[in-house]
Amino acid sequence: MANFQVVVADPDSGAAYQRDIDGQDANRFLGKSIGEDVDGSAVGLDGYTVEITGGSDNAGRPMRSDVAGPNLKDVLLKGGTGYNPERDGERRRISVRGKEVSEAVAQLNVKIAERGDQSVDELYGEGGDEEDE
């Protein structure tokens, strides 16, 4: 059974909220790709729609939107997600994960695409950290 840590970004306020999801809520993300929309009720935002923007696996390897499928792939990168070159023209072969969400993904990054009737603070509580108390 899949379980993810989901970081929900609110582009309007600039705030980010972390949620741990598992079970049926996590299964809503399986098979989806970066850029696809998911019902926000999976992360506790009823009436909202969230867009998958990225993620990483347990080893910290990032998902890249230009690599097809859910598997690991060694790609030659000159910059972008997963590699920051130190000199002009520097390239390196890096292991990255494909753009499709699978059970190997440990963290997902999403942003709010469409808003619902209630505010995010009302749904998550002030600051979004109450579940840690």
Side-chain angles (χ1 to χ4, degrees):
M1 177 118 351
N3 62 351
F4 305 116
Q5 180 179 35
V6 179
V7 179
V8 181
D10 185 356
D12 291 348
S13 69
Y17 306 89
Q18 291 186 356
R19 293 286 175 256
D20 291 321
I21 62 168
D22 58 1
Q24 189 63 32
D25 290 335
N27 289 341
R28 293 184 193 177
F29 288 98
L30 292 178
K32 301 281 187 180
S33 296
I34 293 175
E36 289 189 41
D37 291 338
V38 179
D39 184 25
S41 62
V43 291
L45 294 173
D46 295 328
Y48 281 63
T49 302
V50 295
E51 178 185 341
I52 301 171
T53 58
S56 61
D57 62 10
N58 284 332
R61 292 179 290 245
M63 296 172 66
R64 280 190 61 108
S65 60
D66 56 353
V67 177
N71 298 324
L72 287 175
K73 188 165 187 174
D74 290 336
V75 293
L76 187 62
L77 299 178
K78 60 181 179 181
T81 303
Y83 179 58
N84 188 18
E86 296 177 8
R87 304 183 310 260
D88 285 342
E90 184 177 5
R91 300 183 306 171
R92 184 160 292 154
R93 192 163 302 280
I94 303 288
S95 290
V96 295
R97 193 155 288 283
K99 64 182 175 180
E100 187 177 319
V101 177
S102 69
E103 292 194 21
V105 173
Q107 181 208 341
L108 271 176
N109 303 325
V110 300
K111 71 176 182 179
I112 296 173
E114 294 179 18
R115 298 194 163 273
D117 297 334
Q118 291 181 295
S119 73
V120 178
D121 285 336
E122 288 176 7
L123 293 170
Y124 281 160
E126 263 332 288
D129 292 333
E130 272 69 32
E131 70 180 34
D132 295 337
E133 293 178 4

